Amino acid sequence: MTDLPTPTPDPHQPHDLAGIGIGPFNLSLAALAHNIPTTHHHPPTTAFYEQRPAFHWHPGLLIEGATLQVPFLADLVTLADPTNPWTFLNYLRSRDRLFPFYFAERFHIQRAEYDAYCRWVTHQLPNLHFNHQIDAIRWNQQHQLFEIDFTQLDPDGEAQALGRTHARNIALGIGTEPHIPEPLRPLTEDENTPVIHSADYLHHRQELLDAEHITIIGSGQSGAEIFLDLLRARPHGHENLHWLTRTQAFAPMEYSKLGLEHFTPDYTHYFHALPEPVRDELIPRQWQLHKGIDTDTITAIHDELYHRTLHGGWPHTTLTPGVSVRTAGRLTNTRIELHLEHTQQNTRTRLTTDAVILATGYCERPLTRLLAGLEPHLHRDASQRPRIDDRFRLVLDPAITGHIYVQNAERHTHGVGAPDLGLAAWRSATILNDLTGTNPYPLPERTAFTTFGLTPRTTPIPTQNSDLTPLTHGN
């Protein structure tokens, strides 16, 4: 490994914004930052860093036919700037597919198409640096800059060189990671045990299909799609599928028009203004807004099961809600034993299976390691989580004049919309309006018919603090 020379920070050369992580949210930010209207402001200098060698969005879940749960307008830029060159419609136009899309009449596109669209954007945007692992972030008080240390990786993911860059502001978009329930964690750490998270489903699909009996745990959209895919691929009368969930039902996602207004900027503002204990109590109760199953998928599952009763008999499937896994262990090299408990019946039993798929969701990647060098400057709430203000900025000591913006790490402060693709462009525009101190992306003052609370916010968030110096050409 070659150590690159570490230059003395030059306050005239830092990036205005360094993005860490290149998922859909920071990709949205990069696209909007690169195309800021010059009549309002010179585009900020940016650089975005990603450890992976290329963009891929949930590659293990790009099941054939699976669609996004948000309309195609929830692309990277449209809801902030529909004239942007990186809209989904412009992607279709560049592929001569506008008329086929028009006649297809699809409001919800396939996941694989969304992934291809995002990769199309990454191939055109400058300042995206893949194969760069961020190692540490510090604040240089003398130069009033963030120092960002990174390791450049070779195509095999091995360390190739070390480097350092500098930025006035940072945007964290490091995404989420699979959630593994504690009872099953030891089994996932054994490579020889067929227990996988749904995030890796397609990578193991064939070996799963070869298993005699398969158990799916978790009743969200991913669990439903995997159950349906396996059901369709297994022979009639030999399905041997077991689907378990802790929730009390295989429940549909809340998709009513007024229910969807929980994913508007209006609700985000309302939620952020609530007291911390109220927010913490509210989030678990709203699970059906984002953890339920699309009704079309539920219908497809029932249709497939019903079709398999055509010649008499029932398919060899078991769908049981209200069940939790207490413990789990390996019986042989291929057999797994799950110890189950039914919460309503207060009964327990054992289930022996050949493979387990954990459709148990995702959790925010902790920021602790990445921000260890800034720990003394971070302000935390009563539960020791980072405090995040209404403009998606970590609350830091006043001595740090730069800002650290977060994307999809603020559910505890901004609510269920934090991971939703439909708010990506609006959040990116909010960040850029704050970063520049101007208003390159005017945002709507009202976005919902619902009035959340008796004292709604009636004025837009100001674009800058009195002590924030707007970025101008030459800064």
Side-chain angles (χ1 to χ4, degrees):
M1 180 172 65
T2 303
D3 289 355
L4 296 179
T6 303
T8 302
D10 183 350
H12 301 292
Q13 295 299 323
H15 304 295
D16 293 325
L17 178 69
I20 299 176
I22 305 178
F25 297 135
N26 261 358
L27 186 58
S28 165
L29 187 61
L32 288 171
H34 184 72
N35 207 55
I36 279 183
T38 55
T39 55
H40 287 81
H41 187 271
H42 184 75
T45 58
T46 64
F48 290 79
Y49 301 92
E50 169 60 50
Q51 181 175 340
R52 298 173 300 173
F55 182 96
H56 286 290
W57 184 73
H58 296 301
L61 279 172
L62 300 182
I63 300 170
E64 184 176 355
T67 61
L68 291 184
Q69 294 170 273
V70 292
F72 73 90
L73 293 172
D75 62 17
L76 301 173
V77 295
T78 292
L79 291 177
D81 180 16
T83 65
N84 192 285
W86 293 297
T87 64
F88 177 73
L89 289 179
N90 202 35
Y91 161 72
L92 293 176
R93 179 179 178 274
S94 74
R95 296 292 193 268
D96 290 331
R97 296 178 60 221
L98 263 180
F99 272 91
F101 181 74
Y102 166 63
F103 290 117
E105 297 184 347
R106 289 179 178 170
F107 205 45
H108 293 81
I109 63 174
Q110 293 193 18
R111 288 183 185 175
E113 188 165 30
Y114 178 79
D115 176 65
Y117 153 69
C118 288
R119 286 189 280 111
W120 172 76
V121 175
T122 65
H123 294 157
Q124 300 179 78
L125 280 179
N127 303 328
L128 302 184
H129 304 281
F130 292 93
N131 279 322
H132 280 67
Q133 172 186 292
I134 302 302
D135 301 316
I137 301 172
R138 292 177 300 275
W139 177 250
N140 186 308
Q141 188 65 38
Q142 178 183 356
H143 296 284
Q144 298 287 285
L145 295 171
F146 290 106
E147 295 179 347
I148 305 168
D149 290 343
F150 61 82
T151 300
Q152 189 171 348
L153 307 175
D154 65 20
D156 297 322
E158 299 295 328
Q160 187 177 46
L162 300 177
R164 176 176 294 172
T165 189
H166 308 90
R168 296 185 178 92
N169 303 280
I170 291 173
L172 296 179
I174 60 175
T176 56
E177 60 187 6
H179 169 65
I180 308 295
E182 192 63 39
L184 291 153
R185 194 162 295 169
L187 293 180
T188 60
E189 295 169 355
D190 184 349
E191 295 181 358
N192 297 319
T193 303
V195 178
I196 67 163
H197 191 273
S198 58
D200 297 318
Y201 169 66
L202 287 183
H203 307 315
H204 299 273
R205 184 175 183 269
Q206 188 54 54
E207 61 191 84
L208 288 167
L209 286 174
D210 293 338
E212 178 67 22
H213 184 276
I214 307 171
T215 300
I216 300 105
I217 299 175
S219 65
Q221 183 67 18
S222 296
E225 289 173 351
I226 289 172
F227 178 83
L228 178 60
D229 185 60
L230 290 173
L231 179 62
R232 286 170 168 169
R234 307 278 276 191
H236 286 229
H238 299 279
E239 296 85 1
N240 293 337
L241 296 175
H242 218 109
W243 188 14
L244 307 172
T245 177
R246 288 187 306 171
T247 57
Q248 300 307 311
F250 295 98
M253 187 173 295
E254 168 57 67
Y255 209 73
S256 66
K257 302 306 180 185
L258 292 179
L260 288 175
E261 291 194 340
H262 286 84
F263 299 95
T264 58
D266 281 12
Y267 184 76
T268 302
H269 295 315
Y270 162 78
F271 185 90
H272 187 273
L274 293 173
E276 180 185 331
V278 177
R279 296 197 303 249
D280 289 345
E281 181 185 1
L282 196 54
I283 287 177
R285 289 162 39 198
Q286 296 178 324
W287 66 271
Q288 211 165 338
L289 288 170
H290 59 102
K291 290 185 178 181
I293 307 171
D294 176 78
T295 53
D296 289 341
T297 307
I298 293 177
T299 300
I301 289 172
H302 192 274
D303 286 349
E304 182 66 27
L305 291 170
Y306 176 74
H307 176 69
R308 290 175 180 242
T309 67
L310 181 62
H311 301 295
W314 291 70
H316 290 184
T317 58
T318 302
L319 291 71
T320 310
V323 174
S324 61
V325 179
R326 295 175 53 250
T327 58
R330 190 171 68 174
L331 292 178
T332 65
N333 287 337
T334 59
R335 302 287 282 175
I336 301 160
E337 184 175 81
L338 304 176
H339 295 194
L340 309 178
E341 181 175 15
H342 195 283
T343 52
Q344 291 181 349
Q345 288 183 328
N346 194 26
T347 54
R348 294 180 178 181
T349 188
R350 297 180 182 183
L351 171 65
T352 302
T353 187
D354 297 292
V356 177
I357 303 168
L358 304 176
T360 48
Y362 298 80
C363 55
E364 296 172 359
R365 282 197 173 94
L367 305 177
T368 307
R369 183 194 65 80
L370 200 57
L371 299 181
L374 297 171
E375 180 59 36
H377 307 287
L378 287 172
H379 291 209
R380 297 186 177 274
D381 64 15
S383 299
Q384 294 304 302
R385 299 165 300 196
R387 289 181 57 203
I388 302 168
D389 71 12
D390 55 359
R391 279 165 280 181
F392 303 98
R393 307 179 303 190
L394 292 178
V395 179
L396 305 169
D397 286 341
I400 297 182
T401 57
H403 297 305
I404 298 179
Y405 300 94
V406 296
Q407 305 221 63
N408 196 12
E410 74 281 8
R411 184 180 294 181
H412 63 290
T413 56
H414 288 69
V416 293
D420 191 77
L421 293 175
L423 286 174
W426 169 77
R427 180 172 52 198
S428 294
T430 301
I431 290 171
L432 289 170
N433 288 351
D434 182 73
L435 175 79
T436 61
T438 63
N439 197 33
Y441 293 111
L443 297 174
E445 294 185 20
R446 183 173 180 178
T447 56
F449 291 111
T450 306
T451 300
F452 298 101
L454 297 178
T455 55
R457 186 179 62 85
T458 56
T459 56
I461 296 176
T463 57
Q464 66 180 93
N465 288 331
S466 58
D467 60 349
L468 178 63
T469 303
L471 298 173
T472 57
H473 183 47
N475 272 14

